[in-house]
């Protein structure tokens, strides 16, 4: 047996679920590898010079101000005119030189801020609504599924946590379905073009002001690219930096944000447009393998457009500032690489296979991502408790339980990828989150289904609509996806606001709570 490769976690900063009961989401808290904690601290120490110089510069500035207030600075200057040199004058010169060096070093080492000016999520027309009855009617009428497959789909559908108002594109709901390239392009245009147009109108940004464009869509990638389609539609400038990310799965949105952030660090005074979506039309499975039928039951239409800026003058009107991105990739492990896999079945029908190892892989990815993120976001008291517990167990052989930091102290709001009801429930349990923190993710799953990489933006839109934001609040976006990857983005609210989104108009929260409470094996908690 070959040795298992080591997983990787990448950190940067700026200042898929309904399964069998036997599939258990592993408890990441039982073993915490020191190397992942070390990565977080190593990154933190890379900014040690900046961290040390800023307080030093402040102290020196206060000392000079005090010398000026007491008149000592004026007396030293008078003495300097009468004598060649004094000890105090040397002290002043050294102090001023150190202050200048500290300020220059700070401006050289600091990174450009990345602001989220605003974002927009898609709400499909009511004609696209896929109720349980309409979904099952379409599956029966296409005459491609066996009775056993139809029964399986219906069972998964009613237990999935999805409500009656999710959306599927017209091509899939036709009888028979017309999953052509032309219809797939139409789906992309109908989802993405309106949200970009609404976002630009809301922010007052002209398309030619966009300097960076990043689009992620895993399973539909025509030529010309989706990025080229957007550039052509909005007549963007010829020197735009455009990127089209494919095959990155449901966790692609934090990857797109991270890419845009790195580009904004290089190119000053720029706007970056990030688009996250998935295309259903050409990726509907018409076979009878159960491990490929799950995506049919869970995935629905959705999309999000996000406008970023590195211009400091945009800070006053921006909603958030990006603080950290943490990316974890387990692709070096064969089980993780193949647990979500697009392939053909025995009858040459293409579908996305979800294996029984998916939950175990997701648990491992969560463990690495969380332990790497911890040193960047947790308060010092939690880090010390965790560190001393870890040393006691690893060095002195202490047999007690590992200390689990309280992430509720690090974040005010959490946006979990709506991969499935079981995944959301297990993340709530393992991270010891409150029902209030997790309910927005359940609401997004119930109202829109698994909308892939855009799901975390539907959760954030819910929070802005119903809870609002307070200045300084920290928001954690977490996504899981094929590869296998777990990626996080941490934002800080720039101002206090409440912004209703059209996507959440008319949502019945009590209806959702009643629906979920009636489902089996639901971790029900009082709000």
């Amino acid at each position: 047996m070959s040795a298992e490769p080591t997983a990787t976690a990448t950190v940067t900063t700026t200042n898929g679920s309904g399964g069998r009961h036997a599939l258990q989401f592993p408890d990441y808290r039982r073993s915490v590898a020191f190397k992942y904690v070390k990565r977080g601290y190593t990154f933190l120490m890379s900014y040690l010079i900046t961290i040390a110089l800023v307080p030093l510069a402040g102290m020196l500035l206060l000392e000079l101000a005090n010398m000026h207030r007491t008149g000592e600075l004026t007396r030293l200057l008078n003495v300097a005119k009468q004598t060649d040199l004094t000890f105090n004058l040397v002290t002043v010169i050294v102090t001023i030189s150190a202050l200048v060096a500290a300020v220059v070093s700070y401006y050289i080492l600091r990174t450009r801020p990345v602001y989220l000016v605003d974002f927009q999520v898609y709400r499909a027309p009511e004609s696209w609504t896929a109720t349980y009855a309409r979904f099952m009617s379409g599956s029966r009428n296409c005459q491609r599924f066996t009775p056993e497959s139809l029964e399986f789909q219906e069972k998964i559908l009613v237990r999935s946590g999805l409500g009656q108002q999710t959306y599927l594109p017209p091509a899939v709901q036709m009888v028979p379905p017309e999953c052509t390239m032309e219809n797939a392009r139409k789906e992309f245009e109908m989802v993405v073009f309106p949200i970009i147009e609404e976002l630009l109108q809301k922010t007052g940004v002209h398309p030619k002001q966009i300097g960076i464009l990043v689009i992620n869509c895993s399973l539909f990638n025509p030529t010309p690219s989706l990025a080229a389609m957007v550039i052509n539609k909005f007549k963007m400038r010829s020197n735009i930096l455009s990127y089209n990310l494919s095959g990155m799965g449901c966790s692609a949105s934090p990857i797109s944000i991270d890419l845009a952030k790195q580009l904004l660090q290089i190119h000053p005074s720029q706007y970056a447009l990030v688009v996250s979506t998935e295309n259903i039309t050409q990726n509907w499975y018409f076979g009878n393998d159960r491990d490929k039928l799950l995506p049919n039951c869970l995935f629905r239409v959705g999309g999000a457009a996000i406008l970023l800026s590195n211009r400091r003058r945009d800070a006053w009107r921006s909603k958030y500032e990006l603080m950290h991105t943490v990316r974890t990739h387990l692709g070096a492990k064969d089980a993780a690489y193949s647990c979500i896999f697009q392939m053909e079945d025995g009858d040459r029908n293409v579908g996305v296979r979800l294996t029984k190892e998916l939950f175990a892989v997701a648990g491992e990815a969560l463990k690495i991502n969380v332990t790497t993120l911890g040193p960047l976001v947790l308060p010092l008291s939690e880090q010390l408790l965790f560190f001393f517990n870890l040393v006691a167990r690893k060095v002195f052989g202490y047999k007690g339980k590992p200390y689990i930091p309280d992430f509720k102290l690090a974040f005010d709001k959490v946006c979990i990828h709506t991969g499935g009801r079981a995944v959301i429930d297990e993340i709530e349990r393992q991270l010891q989150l409150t029902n209030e923190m997790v309910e927005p993710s359940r609401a997004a799953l119930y109202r829109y289904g698994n909308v892939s990489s855009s799901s975390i933006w539907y959760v954030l839109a819910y929070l802005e609509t119903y809870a609002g934001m307070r200045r300084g609040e920290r928001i954690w976006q977490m996504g899981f996806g094929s590869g296998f990857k777990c990626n996080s983005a941490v934002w800080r609210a720039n101002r206090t606001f409440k912004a209703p989104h059209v996507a959440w108009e008319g949502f019945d929260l009590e209806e959702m709570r009643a629906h979920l409470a009636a489902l089996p094996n639901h971790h029900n908690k009082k709000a």
Side-chain angles (χ1 to χ4, degrees):
M1 182 180 296
S2 60
E4 189 176 56
T6 302
T8 61
T10 304
V11 187
T12 54
T13 187
T14 23
N15 167 184
S17 147
R20 303 180 183 89
H21 181 67
L23 298 181
Q24 296 295 327
F25 199 86
D27 193 340
Y28 85 96
R29 300 171 297 175
R30 295 186 180 275
S31 63
V32 179
F34 180 73
K35 60 183 177 181
Y36 303 129
V37 182
K38 183 180 176 182
R39 285 174 186 165
Y41 282 110
T42 300
F43 173 78
L44 192 63
M45 289 301 102
S46 67
Y47 283 79
L48 185 61
I49 296 177
T50 303
I51 294 171
L53 285 177
V54 172
L56 176 61
M59 292 171 60
L60 293 174
L61 188 61
L62 289 174
E63 179 62 24
L64 285 174
N66 183 61
M67 293 176 69
H68 177 71
R69 182 182 61 83
T70 59
E72 185 177 353
L73 193 58
T74 303
R75 290 195 297 271
L76 287 173
L77 291 174
N78 291 333
V79 171
K81 294 176 181 179
Q82 301 172 10
T83 61
D84 294 332
L85 193 65
T86 68
F87 175 78
N88 285 335
L89 186 58
V90 172
T91 303
V92 171
I93 293 174
V94 171
T95 301
I96 293 175
S97 300
L99 176 61
V100 171
V103 172
V104 171
S105 299
Y106 169 72
Y107 277 96
I108 292 176
L109 293 172
R110 72 171 181 167
T111 55
R112 292 188 178 92
V114 173
Y115 301 113
L116 192 161
V117 181
D118 213 331
F119 70 98
Q120 189 75 23
V121 294
Y122 179 69
R123 178 171 178 167
E126 296 307 308
S127 60
W128 290 25
T129 302
T131 62
Y132 295 171
R134 191 173 183 182
F135 177 92
M136 292 308 304
S137 175
S139 294
R140 293 188 184 96
N141 291 337
C142 76
Q143 299 182 350
R144 299 288 296 273
F145 303 110
T146 65
E148 293 78 15
S149 293
L150 291 171
E151 181 182 356
F152 175 76
Q153 290 181 68
E154 187 169 21
K155 179 181 177 181
I156 294 298
L157 190 64
V158 298
R159 297 185 179 186
S160 63
L162 275 67
Q164 296 279 6
Q165 291 184 295
T166 59
Y167 302 107
L168 285 173
V172 171
Q173 301 199 54
M174 291 179 181
V175 180
E178 296 184 8
C179 300
T180 62
M181 172 73 76
E182 180 183 3
N183 284 332
R185 285 183 180 273
K186 287 181 179 179
E187 180 192 341
F188 178 83
E189 292 171 355
M190 292 183 70
V191 172
V192 171
F193 289 175
I195 57 176
I196 293 178
E197 187 171 358
E198 291 165 10
L199 177 63
L200 296 180
Q201 288 178 353
K202 188 161 55 172
T203 57
V205 175
H206 191 276
K208 290 191 181 297
Q209 291 180 274
I210 304 295
I212 298 166
L213 173 65
V214 181
I215 294 182
N216 66 264
C217 182
S218 287
L219 299 177
F220 178 59
N221 290 282
T223 298
S225 69
L226 301 178
M229 291 172 64
V230 170
I231 292 170
N232 176 261
K233 168 66 177 179
F234 292 95
K235 309 306 177 186
M236 294 177 170
R237 65 199 203 195
S238 60
N239 64 341
I240 190 171
L241 301 176
S242 63
Y243 297 84
N244 200 100
L245 306 184
S246 64
M248 304 299 285
C250 299
S251 66
S253 196
I255 296 174
S256 298
I257 294 294
D258 182 64
L259 174 59
K261 184 216 65 176
Q262 295 189 48
L263 292 168
L264 288 171
Q265 294 301 317
I266 300 172
H267 303 279
S269 192
Q270 293 286 344
Y271 284 114
L273 177 64
V274 175
V275 177
S276 293
T277 189
E278 192 53 79
N279 193 283
I280 305 296
T281 297
Q282 278 205 317
N283 297 288
W284 201 253
Y285 176 62
F286 291 103
N288 291 284
D289 287 357
R290 289 193 174 189
D291 55 3
K292 298 182 184 67
L293 283 171
L294 279 172
N296 284 15
C297 302
L298 297 175
F299 281 83
R300 295 294 185 267
V301 168
I306 305 99
L307 183 66
L308 304 177
S309 172
N310 62 3
R311 309 190 313 172
R312 294 185 184 275
R313 58 184 176 274
D314 282 326
W316 66 272
R317 70 172 183 142
S318 298
K319 289 183 172 180
Y320 309 98
E321 182 177 354
L322 181 61
M323 305 308 296
H324 309 286
T325 54
V326 176
R327 296 169 54 182
T328 300
H329 203 307
L330 303 184
K333 299 184 177 183
D334 292 340
Y337 170 74
S338 59
C339 69
I340 302 177
F341 207 89
Q342 187 181 25
M343 59 185 297
E344 295 173 324
D345 64 14
D347 297 321
R348 298 293 182 182
N349 296 306
V350 177
V352 177
R353 180 192 66 187
L354 307 181
T355 71
K356 63 182 181 181
E357 290 82 14
L358 176 57
F359 268 34
V361 170
E364 177 68 12
L366 174 66
K367 178 183 74 173
I368 297 171
N369 195 267
V370 167
T371 51
T372 308
L373 180 65
L376 303 175
V377 298
L378 286 168
L380 183 60
S381 58
E382 289 294 299
Q383 295 195 46
L384 290 176
L385 288 171
F386 175 82
F387 178 76
F388 289 142
N389 178 273
L390 185 65
V391 171
R393 289 185 295 107
K394 297 294 184 181
V395 178
F396 300 105
Y398 173 63
K399 300 300 182 182
K401 294 181 179 180
Y403 179 74
I404 306 304
D406 187 357
F407 278 88
K408 295 189 294 295
L409 300 175
F411 303 107
D412 301 287
K413 294 178 172 66
V414 179
C415 304
I416 303 170
H417 164 56
T418 58
R421 183 168 62 101
V423 171
I424 296 173
D425 289 347
E426 285 300 315
I427 291 176
E428 175 192 19
R429 182 181 67 84
Q430 293 199 22
L431 296 180
Q432 301 176 0
L433 303 175
T434 64
N435 181 67
E436 184 181 13
M437 297 179 78
V438 176
E439 190 168 64
S441 298
R442 291 197 179 104
L445 178 65
Y446 177 82
R447 179 63 180 84
Y448 286 97
N450 183 345
V451 288
S452 190
S453 58
S454 64
S455 67
I456 54 178
W457 299 103
Y458 282 85
V459 181
L460 188 57
Y462 176 97
L463 289 167
E464 289 189 358
T465 300
Y466 292 103
M469 294 291 169
R470 291 183 178 275
R471 179 182 174 87
E473 283 190 327
R474 289 167 294 180
I475 301 93
W476 180 15
Q477 292 182 317
M478 179 197 318
F480 296 88
S482 59
F484 188 88
K485 300 179 288 294
C486 177
N487 300 316
S488 294
V490 180
W491 305 88
R492 183 179 62 200
N494 275 359
R495 52 190 170 86
T496 299
F497 66 93
K498 193 172 185 179
H501 287 255
V502 175
W504 288 102
E505 285 184 357
F507 177 68
D508 192 333
L509 180 60
E510 293 304 322
E511 179 186 272
M512 181 205 74
R513 289 173 176 170
H515 175 86
L516 295 181
L519 296 179
N521 301 321
H522 178 63
H523 297 303
N524 211 12
K525 291 185 177 181
K526 293 182 179 180

